């Protein structure tokens, strides 16, 4: 079976080895004087300029899983899967002004994680702990899903086995290598590898969107084939256009996902690693290049329909693994060596975000659990060390999720992840603008949004009735369940975060009236505008020097 | 119990850094892509793409143009 794919496997392995070598060399790239500091290992020295940030954040946000799952969604459901495009358009103007504030305050105070900021702003270790745990829980399944991306490729190349261990051996090896160079090089490794990953992806997709329509009879025929497939299917919720019932879901999912994206710890890690505010603002104009790429990748799902691709069987009998449609399309339409390049692009595409995510999760643990609760007087070197070890643990956990649990479990968790990370919005994003909210009210709002979000997700059955899965089947909640006379669905995250906000507002008013103590805001207004060159902006000697807010003369 | 905000004159000056009427433009690429009535149709098609697809891809340009314009108009000129 795998012998038919020998060329692909060789090209894939060579490129994989190349980036692994780069990962180890990265420790010496833009080498710091002292790697034993969390700012160096976990944030690349906070020194990345425009280009590196573009590759790093692009490689971080647009993950291998996205590249595999979005076209799979288009293949299965049609227009609804295209939400990824408005999602990744709306995001940048939305956070354009917010991220620079986060950058400034984080550099003045040496924050590494969003929870660090919340801790100082609201003077509440409990709230910070909740934010940190939410971030870790939301990130873990995301890392595991990157493995699903690699697995789809390996499966198509016929690299499978009978026993559990044999089937997963390539992934275990890949992740062991990844873990080793992330341990050594920290954020510099994904930053350097991102250059290769993105170059490969851009080449593959440009070739695909020119070559495949030419082979398949043009774009008109591709859309016609997709239309014919959805017309013929019994489902009423698919089609190449949206229908009256899924439009609300489409835009709330796009908007809610946009709100959530920069709350994920790994996105914030990428942002904080940039060297000044201008780098961030310029990237808000440059990152949409990846959105165009994503839009074109989404359409690969329709090309797979036009090419008559039949997805490989899934884990359980009678199901199909629709994540394999894009790898199969490449296998079928491209010469072997180029399919190998395409697979490597997806495989390496999984490594970059997996590395950054594990670093972000490790930083959260180190800063907001280890330093806060276990060892208050940890030195920067100890912090860096704990983070390095935690990043290993996180990766072992992700591999274990894929090897020992049904991959569907990770997909469910990632769905939940988007909803729960959104519950940190009032404290993190609104907190950058206002200290009006009471810390107690933010905690209560978080709990309310969390509870409601989980309940709503639990109520949603999988659209494919044959699977017999009654819970966590999607993110579109039928408004009929709230008692509205309609078939429309809405994105769970939006509802949950609105309730979260409502609770936070009401409780703030109550707690304020009751004169419950609010704690001290450790940040000053001026902190939110500091830029590179400011004498108090880190990197400097005074990080974490718990300075009282003082006016700068 | 909130900490007193320092009200030094320097604070007021740097606070103004982020404020600009140009920032309001950012609402355009946030709102327009979220109105399905604009894009949810077949015609007119462009190069074989139904309107649903080409228009949403074109919104990327709207987003880039807006953020670029706002950045250029609000960036610090020299040592102001």
């Amino acid at each position: 079976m795998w012998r038919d794919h020998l060329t692909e496997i060789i090209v894939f392995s060579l490129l994989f080895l190349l980036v692994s070598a780069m990962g180890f060399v990265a420790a010496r790239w833009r080498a710091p004087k002292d790697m034993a500091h969390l700012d160096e290992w976990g944030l690349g020295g906070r020194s990345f300029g425009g280009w590196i940030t573009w590759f790093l954040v692009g490689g971080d946000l647009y993950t291998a899983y996205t590249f595999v799952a979005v076209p799979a969604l288009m293949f299965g459901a049609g227009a609804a899967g295209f939400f990824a495009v408005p999602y990744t358009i709306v995001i940048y103007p939305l956070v354009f002004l917010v991220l620079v504030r986060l950058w400034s305050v984080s550099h003045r105070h040496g924050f590494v994680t969003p929870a660090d900021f919340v801790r100082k702003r609201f003077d509440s270790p409990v709230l910070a702990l909740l934010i940190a745990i939410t971030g870790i829980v939301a990130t873990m399944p995301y890392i595991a899903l990157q493995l699903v991306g690699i697995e789809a490729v390996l499966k198509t190349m016929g690299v499978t086995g009978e026993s559990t261990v044999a089937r997963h051996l390539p992934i275990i090896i890949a992740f062991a290598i990844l873990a080793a160079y992330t341990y050594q090089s920290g954020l510099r490794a994904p930053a350097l590898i991102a250059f290769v990953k993105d170059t490969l992806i851009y080449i593959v997709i440009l070739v695909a969107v020119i070559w495949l329509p030419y082979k398949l009879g043009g774009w008109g025929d591709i859309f016609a084939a997709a239309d014919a497939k959805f017309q013929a299917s019994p489902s009423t919720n698919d089609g190449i256009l949206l229908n009256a019932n899924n439009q609300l879901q489409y835009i709330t999912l796009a908007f809610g996902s946009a709100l959530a994206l920069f709350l994920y710890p790994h996105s914030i890690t990428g942002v904080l690693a940039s060297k000044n505010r201008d780098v961030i603002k310029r990237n808000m104009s440059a990152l949409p290049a990846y959105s165009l790429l994503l839009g074109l990748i989404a359409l690969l799902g329709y090309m797979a329909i036009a090419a008559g691709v039949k997805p490989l069987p899934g884990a359980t009998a009678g199901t199909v693994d629709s994540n394999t449609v894009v790898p199969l399309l490449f296998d079928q339409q491209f010469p072997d060596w180029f399919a190998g390049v395409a697979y490597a692009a997806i495989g390496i595409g999984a490594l970059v975000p997996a590395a950054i995510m594990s670093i972000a999760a490790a930083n959260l643990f180190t800063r907001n659990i280890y330093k806060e609760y276990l060892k208050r007087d940890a030195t920067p070197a100890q912090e860096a060390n704990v983070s390095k070890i935690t990043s290993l643990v996180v990766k072992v956990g992700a591999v274990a999720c894929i090897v020992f649990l049904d991959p569907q479990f990770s997909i469910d968790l990632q769905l939940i992840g988007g909803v729960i990370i959104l519950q940190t919005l009032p404290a993190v994003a609104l907190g950058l603008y206002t200290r009006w909210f009471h810390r107690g009210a933010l905690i209560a709002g978080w709990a309310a949004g969390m509870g409601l979000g989980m309940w709503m997700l639990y109520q949603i059955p999988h659209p494919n009735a044959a699977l017999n899965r009654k819970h966590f089947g999607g993110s579109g909640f039928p408004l009929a369940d709230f008692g509205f006379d309609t078939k429309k669905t809405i994105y769970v995250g939006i509802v949950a975060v609105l309730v979260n906000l409502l609770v936070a507002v009401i409780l703030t008013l109550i707690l304020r009236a009751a004169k419950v103590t609010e704690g001290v805001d450790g940040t000053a207004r001026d902190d939110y505008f500091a830029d590179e060159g400011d004498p108090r902006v880190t990197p400097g000697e005074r990080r974490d020097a718990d300075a009282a807010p003082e006016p700068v003369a | 119990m909130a900490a007193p905000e320092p009200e030094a004159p320097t604070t007021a000056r740097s606070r103004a850094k982020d404020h600009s009427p140009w920032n309001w433009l950012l609402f355009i690429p946030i709102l327009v892509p979220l109105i399905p009535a604009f894009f949810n149709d077949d015609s007119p098609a462009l190069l074989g793409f139904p309107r649903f697809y080409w228009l949403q891809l074109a919104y990327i340009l709207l987003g880039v143009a807006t953020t670029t314009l706002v950045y250029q108009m609000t960036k610090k000129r020299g040592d102001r």
Side-chain angles (χ1 to χ4, degrees), chain A residues 26-38:
Chain A
R28 266 176 253 150
W29 177 52
R30 304 164 64 91
K33 280 194 218 75
D34 175 19
M35 192 71 163
H37 194 296
L38 203 50

Side-chain angles (χ1 to χ4, degrees), chain A residues 137-159:
Chain A
V137 171
T139 308
M140 287 288 286
Y142 222 153
I143 303 173
L145 278 188
Q146 301 310 317
L147 293 162
V148 173
I150 305 187
E151 265 200 330
V153 168
L154 292 173
K155 213 167 167 179
T156 313
M157 290 195 293
V159 185

Side-chain angles (χ1 to χ4, degrees), chain A residues 240 247 250 277 302 526, chain B residues 10 14 18 40 53 56 76:
Chain A
I240 63 164
Q247 290 185 14
Y250 186 87
R277 288 162 65 100
Y302 286 179
D526 201 51
Chain B
T10 47
S14 54
D18 273 6
N40 195 29
Y53 300 92
Q56 292 196 73
K76 289 170 286 175

Side-chain angles (χ1 to χ4, degrees), chain A residues 523-546:
Chain A
T523 67
R525 176 155 264 160
D526 201 51
D527 291 346
Y528 295 87
F529 309 104
D531 203 350
E532 185 190 23
D534 180 303
R536 290 176 58 214
V537 161
T538 48
E541 288 318 303
R542 48 161 305 284
R543 43 173 86 80
D544 252 350
D546 244 19

Side-chain angles (χ1 to χ4, degrees), chain B residues 35-80:
Chain B
I35 302 172
F38 289 173
F39 58 76
N40 195 29
D41 208 338
D42 274 325
S43 59
L46 190 74
L47 300 171
F49 282 62
R51 193 208 309 171
F52 184 89
Y53 300 92
W54 68 256
L55 185 57
Q56 292 196 73
L57 290 173
Y59 284 156
I60 295 172
L61 293 177
L62 175 72
V64 172
T66 313
T67 46
T68 308
L69 180 69
V70 172
Y71 169 68
Q72 290 297 338
M73 289 303 170
T74 57
K75 75 175 172 189
K76 289 170 286 175
R77 286 172 202 85
D79 280 330
R80 185 158 53 104

Side-chain angles (χ1 to χ4, degrees), chain A residues 340-362:
Chain A
V341 172
Y343 294 168
I346 297 175
I348 298 165
L351 301 181
V352 173
I356 306 173
M357 287 167 191
S358 65
I359 289 171

Side-chain angles (χ1 to χ4, degrees), chain A residues 71-72 74-76 212 216 222 225-226 229 297-311 322 324-330 332-333:
Chain A
M74 299 282 290
F75 182 87
L212 291 179
L216 298 170
I222 291 170
K229 179 194 170 198
I297 289 172
L299 293 175
L300 291 176
Y302 286 179
M303 294 185 205
I305 295 175
V309 168
K310 297 271 176 291
S322 59
T324 55
V325 294
V326 167
L328 282 171
L329 177 72
F330 290 161
Q332 185 183 323
Q333 301 289 332

Side-chain angles (χ1 to χ4, degrees), chain A residues 174-408:
Chain A
F175 250 49
I177 297 174
L178 171 72
Y181 64 66
T182 311
Y183 181 89
Q184 189 187 333
S185 312
L187 196 63
R188 284 179 171 80
L192 196 57
I193 293 173
F195 285 96
V196 181
K197 173 229 163 186
D198 292 333
T199 309
L200 285 179
I201 295 239
Y202 275 104
I203 293 172
V204 167
I205 297 310
L206 281 177
V207 170
V209 296
I210 293 166
W211 172 246
L212 291 179
Y214 168 75
K215 276 194 85 176
L216 298 170
W219 285 102
D221 284 10
I222 291 170
F223 284 108
D227 195 28
K229 179 194 170 198
F230 297 129
Q231 295 282 353
S233 85
S235 165
T236 52
N237 253 336
D238 57 13
I240 63 164
L241 294 179
L242 298 174
N243 58 46
N245 294 331
N246 62 9
Q247 290 185 14
L248 182 66
Q249 161 74 7
Y250 186 87
I251 59 168
T252 49
L253 181 58
F255 186 65
S257 306
L259 286 177
L261 186 57
F262 275 98
L263 294 169
Y264 273 106
H266 62 273
S267 322
I268 292 179
T269 300
V271 168
L272 293 186
S274 58
K275 71 174 178 193
N276 61 36
R277 288 162 65 100
D278 266 15
V279 165
I280 297 171
K281 285 197 169 183
R282 276 187 275 124
N283 261 291
M284 295 297 110
S285 308
L287 282 167
Y290 287 94
S291 307
L292 178 63
L293 193 67
L294 180 59
L296 297 173
I297 289 172
L299 293 175
L300 291 176
Y302 286 179
M303 294 185 205
I305 295 175
V309 168
K310 297 271 176 291
L312 294 176
T316 43
T319 60
V320 292
D321 181 357
S322 59
N323 285 333
T324 55
V325 294
V326 167
L328 282 171
L329 177 72
F330 290 161
D331 186 42
Q332 185 183 323
Q333 301 289 332
F334 285 144
D336 282 353
W337 69 271
F338 193 73
V341 172
Y343 294 168
I346 297 175
I348 298 165
L351 301 181
V352 173
I356 306 173
M357 287 167 191
S358 65
I359 289 171
N363 288 348
L364 278 169
F365 174 81
T366 306
R367 298 281 300 199
N368 308 108
I369 296 174
Y370 171 75
K371 192 173 159 83
E372 182 79 41
Y373 294 98
L374 301 176
K375 193 166 168 43
R376 280 248 146 149
D377 55 349
T379 63
Q382 283 171 326
E383 274 183 47
N385 215 17
V386 170
S387 242
K388 287 166 86 167
I389 292 165
T390 312
S391 82
L392 294 181
V393 175
V394 165
K395 286 198 206 69
V396 172
V399 173
C401 275
I402 291 295
V403 174
F404 297 112
L405 304 170
D406 184 348
Q408 185 61 44

